[in-house]
Amino acid sequence: MDQHTPFGRDVPPAALPVGRVVKQADAPPGPLLLPEAAPPSPIPEAVSSLSISENDVPQADPVSPPPAAEPLEAPPEPQSQIAVPDTKTEPLPRPNETPAPQDSEALPAHAEEEAPQAPLKPLSNEAVTGHTAALWKYNPIPQDQPEPFPEYLTVCQEYPIGRLTGARVRGKKHKHEGTNCDDWFAASSFQDLLFIVVSDGAGSRKFSRIGARESCRAAAGYLAKSFSDLWAKQPQLPADITLDFEDQRCMYACGVLAGAVQQSVLKAREAVEAAFYTRSTDPAYAAVLGRPLDFKDLSGTLLVSAVIPAGNAGNLVISCQVGDGMIALVDSKAPFASSLKLMGIPDSGEFSGETEFLTSAKMASLDALQNRTKISRGRSDTLLIMTDGVADDYFPNETEMRRLYFDLIANGVLHWETGSLSAEQLRIYKTLPAPLSYPWVNDQSIQVPLHYTRRILESSSLTPEALWENRSVLALARQELEGQTDLNNPAERLERWLDNYVERGSFDDRTLVAVEIKEA
Amino acid sequence: MSDFIRRLPVYLLLDCSGSMIGEPIEAVRQGVKALLSELKGDPQALETAYLSVITFDSDARQVIPLTELMQFQEPEIKASGATAMGKALNVLIACVNNEVRKSSETQKGDWRPLVFLLTDGAPTDVETFRQAAQNLKNMKAANIVACAAGAQADTSFLKQITENVLMMNTLSAGDMARFFAWVSGSIKMSSKSLDAKPGAAIELPPPPQGFVVVP
C-alpha cells in the first residue's frame, strides 16, 4: 500500500508524512467574545496502580540536549484515500438482530403540545445519529490556503518491539465545513526502542495543525537521537532499568530517561516557536486570519510515549502529556481487573475544564512537565495513544478504555487469536448484533458496517469481565466484518473505523496509534 | 457506562409583556419558528444543542423545559401584563441548577449554557431583579447575551446581568427576524466550537446589521 509509507528506523529518527497547512476563514470580523469563567483545573493526581508514580521518579538529570536531530525527511504524503468498501452485501443474518438506528426508533410524532411540562420520552442517541447521518456534508480541504494537510494519515509498521498501527482522520465537523484536520502523529525508533508522539491542534486556532505537525516531528526526532546518545554515553542504562525499582541505579536510570522524554516536549515547543517565526511575516497567514499570525495560533496538545524493553521486567513505558487526549496501557494476559493502566494525565475542570497547550507559557519549563510524566514497567503489551476525538468517546477513561480495546479487536485493528471456540462461546457469538452501518460522510452512497462493543454488551447481556474472557468471539465477529470489506491491513481498518464509527456529539478529528508489543 | 452526551443547553428568555402585543409578539413567534427550522437542518446543533424557553410578563415560567431539538415543539406565546424580568432570572437560575449537568468522575458535564434574553422594556420587579441579576452574575454558570429591542428598552438593567448587551432599534418583524437568525447562527457556531475547549470563552458571530453592541 503506497500510502502506508514506512517510517522506520532505517530512515533514521523518521517522522511521519508531511503536510501543509490551511484553515478556513473565520466568521466575519468583530466576533463577540463572551467572558470565560472556567474554574481552574485541579492538579491531576498520580494513579496509584502505576509501578512508580511520577513522585517516585527521581528528578531527571538535565539531559544535555544533543545536537538537534536533523530535520526528519518525511516520506511523501499519502494522497490517496482508501476506498471504503461498498457493503451492499447483506450482513450475516443473526438472531436478535438489532435494526439499524434509522429504523430503531421512530421519532415521537408529536409531543404533548398543550402540556409543555410533561416530560418527553427522550430519544435514544442512535435515533438522533440515525437522523443526522444524512445531514453531514463532505467538503474537501481547501487548497488555496497555506499548507493544506492531507485528508488521511495511515501507518502500519513492524518494529523490533512490535507492530505499530496508526491513523488520523478528519472529523465530521471539518469535513462539513471544508476545513483541515488539526491532528498529527509521528513515530521514531532506535534499536528496539519505539517513540510515539500525537498532537491535537487547538480547534479554535486556524493554523494549529502546523504546531501539531511540527511538535510531533520534533519530539519524535529528538527522542530517537537522544536515546541513541544516552545508550552510547551511559551503556549501563538498558541493564539498570531491569533492576528492582528500589535499586538506586534503577531509579536513577528511570529519572534520566524520563528527563529525556520531558526534554522532547521542550524540543517540540521550540520547534513550534521556530515554525511560528518562519511564518510570522508571511502575508499568506495574516490574510487568512485578518491579523498577524500569533504564536498561540499554533497551539496544540502533545502526548509522548517511549517504549523501552526492560528484559525480564517487561517493558518500561514513559509518557508525558500536555493537554487532553489519553495514553492507555493494556495487559492482554492479565485478569480483567488489572488489565488497564492509564498513562495519560489530561487537564480537566468543572464544566469540562480548560486544556493546557504546548504553547502555554508554563510549558516552557521542565517543572510543569514533572507532574505530567508517568512511568510504568511491566507486562503490558498494548499501548494506545489517542487525541481527545477518540478519548472523549470513551468516558470515563478509567473504565471505558477497555471498551475501546474491545472495539479495536472487534473491528480488526488489534490482533486476537480466534482459536477454537467453546460451545458457550459459539452461543455468545450467535447473540451478537449484526454490524451497524452508517453512510460514509465522504460518499453517502457507501454504507460502512462496524461493530460496537456497547451494542454487543447490551444485546448479549455479557459483562465487560465476561467479554474479556471471551475475546475470541470478538475476533470471530471481526472476520465476518472483513467478509464485507477488502481491507487486509490493520491500519486501513483502523482508518475505516476512526472515519466511520458514530457517537452522538462526536465530530472531532480522531487520531489513534496502537502498539502491539511482542512477547520478549 | 454513561450514555450521556455533552449537551449545549440553550435558554431563550422572552419578554411577553403587554407592550409586545400585536406585531412584536407575532414577530417573536415567527422568529422562534425560523430559529427551529434553521437548527433542525444542522447536524452539529441537532446532536448537541438542547433548547428551553422561559417567558415573562407579570410572572415568569419555563414554558418548555430543556428539550432535544428533534423533539422541540414551539411554545404558545401570548403577550400581556407587566415585565417580571427579575422573576424570569430566578426561573433561569433554578432551571440551570436543575437541568444542566455538572462534570463528575463518571459523567460528562454539559457545556456552559448559552442564554439569550430579549426584552422591549425594563423590569417592573426591580428589587427582585437586582438580587437575581447579582446571583446570576455570581454563578458564572452561563454565557448570557441580552438584547434590548426598541426605544423603550433599558440597557442599564441588562448590563447588570451580562457584559454582552445588544440593542436593536425597532420591534419590527425584520429586526426580530434578524435577531433570531443571529441567535441560530450563535448556537450553530457554539455547537461547532465546542471542541475548542469546554468552559472557555465562546465566540459568537458579529451582531446583525442595525444592531449595536452596548459598551
Side-chain angles (χ1 to χ4, degrees), chain A residues 34 117 324 392 504-505, chain B residues 47 62 68 71 108 164 197:
Chain A
L34 295 185
Q117 294 292 352
D324 57 23
D392 206 37
R504 179 175 180 183
Chain B
E47 289 190 24
Q62 186 183 34
E68 174 100 63
Q71 293 182 314
K108 281 185 192 179
N164 306 290
K197 299 319 154 198

Side-chain angles (χ1 to χ4, degrees), chain A residues 223-382:
Chain A
L223 284 164
K225 180 76 173 66
S226 161
F227 276 76
S228 144
D229 290 350
L230 282 171
W231 260 222
K233 286 181 198 148
Q234 303 186 53
Q236 78 289 1
L237 285 176
D240 284 355
I241 57 168
T242 69
L243 299 173
D244 195 285
F245 261 147
E246 306 298 310
D247 193 304
Q248 286 297 319
R249 289 167 292 173
C250 182
M251 290 181 72
Y252 170 82
C254 288
V256 170
L257 303 188
V261 169
Q262 290 161 355
Q263 199 69 38
S264 77
V265 176
L266 298 186
K267 291 293 164 189
R269 191 178 196 277
E270 286 170 18
V272 175
E273 279 171 346
F276 164 66
Y277 285 118
T278 59
R279 290 163 178 81
S280 58
T281 54
D282 185 332
Y285 298 88
V288 172
L289 295 167
R291 58 169 172 78
L293 188 70
D294 185 89
F295 181 47
K296 299 265 182 207
D297 289 319
L298 274 55
S299 292
T301 65
L302 196 73
L303 296 90
V304 179
S305 276
V307 188
I308 306 153
N312 290 335
N315 290 287
L316 187 69
V317 176
I318 305 175
S319 68
C320 187
Q321 172 169 353
V322 176
D324 57 23
M326 185 45 67
I327 305 172
L329 261 178
V330 178
D331 183 350
S332 68
K333 296 183 187 65
F336 178 83
S338 56
S339 57
L340 176 69
K341 276 182 194 172
L342 295 189
M343 294 293 289
I345 308 169
D347 306 282
S348 62
E350 185 202 11
F351 263 101
S352 304
E354 261 171 86
T355 275
E356 290 289 352
F357 291 118
L358 189 58
T359 50
S360 309
K362 70 174 173 193
M363 295 306 160
S365 81
L366 278 176
D367 286 353
L369 302 176
Q370 298 287 347
N371 288 339
R372 295 159 198 269
T373 308
K374 282 202 182 187
I375 300 187
S376 167
R377 194 178 68 179
R379 300 270 161 209
S380 293
D381 49 19
T382 309

Side-chain angles (χ1 to χ4, degrees), chain A residues 26-39 107-114 116-125 127-129 131-133 135-137 172-174 176-177 182 200-204 301 324 349-355 357 388 392-396 398-400 403 453-454 457-458 464 502-509, chain B residues 1-7 39-50 53 61-65 67-76 96 100-114 139-145 162-166 182 188-207 213:
Chain A
D26 232 357
L32 188 56
L33 197 61
L34 295 185
E36 86 182 51
L107 303 182
H110 29 272
E112 302 289 306
E113 269 150 54
E114 291 311 305
Q117 294 292 352
L120 295 165
K121 181 179 176 291
L123 289 178
S124 74
N125 292 336
V128 175
T129 52
H131 174 77
T132 54
L135 298 172
W136 290 102
K137 301 274 180 289
K172 278 194 284 198
K173 175 175 81 94
H174 285 136
H176 194 76
E177 294 164 3
D182 296 324
D200 175 2
S204 53
T301 65
D324 57 23
E350 185 202 11
F351 263 101
S352 304
E354 261 171 86
T355 275
F357 291 118
D388 196 35
D392 206 37
D393 293 335
Y394 293 89
F395 181 89
E398 288 74 10
T399 55
E400 296 301 293
R403 184 165 57 84
T453 301
R454 188 198 295 277
L457 291 173
E458 278 163 12
V502 172
E503 287 285 339
R504 179 175 180 183
S506 164
F507 29 72
D508 201 357
D509 299 331
Chain B
M1 75 192 73
S2 152
D3 278 341
F4 288 140
I5 64 141
R6 204 162 262 163
R7 308 175 301 176
L39 293 179
K40 284 183 176 177
D42 185 284
Q44 303 181 38
L46 279 168
E47 289 190 24
T48 53
Y50 278 63
V53 177
R61 82 291 303 163
Q62 186 183 34
V63 289
I64 309 266
T67 304
E68 174 100 63
L69 280 182
M70 277 170 72
Q71 293 182 314
F72 192 92
Q73 301 289 324
E74 286 158 46
E76 206 171 307
V96 168
V100 177
R101 298 181 197 128
K102 292 266 171 77
S103 284
S104 73
E105 293 285 306
T106 54
Q107 176 182 281
K108 281 185 192 179
D110 288 330
W111 306 92
R112 188 179 304 271
L114 205 46
M139 274 171 65
K140 290 185 178 174
N143 287 320
I144 304 173
V145 180
T162 173
E163 292 306 308
N164 306 290
V165 177
L166 292 181
W182 178 78
K188 283 197 209 169
M189 194 157 160
S190 300
S191 63
K192 277 168 196 176
S193 63
L194 288 184
D195 72 330
K197 299 319 154 198
I202 292 180
E203 270 191 24
L204 298 182
V213 178

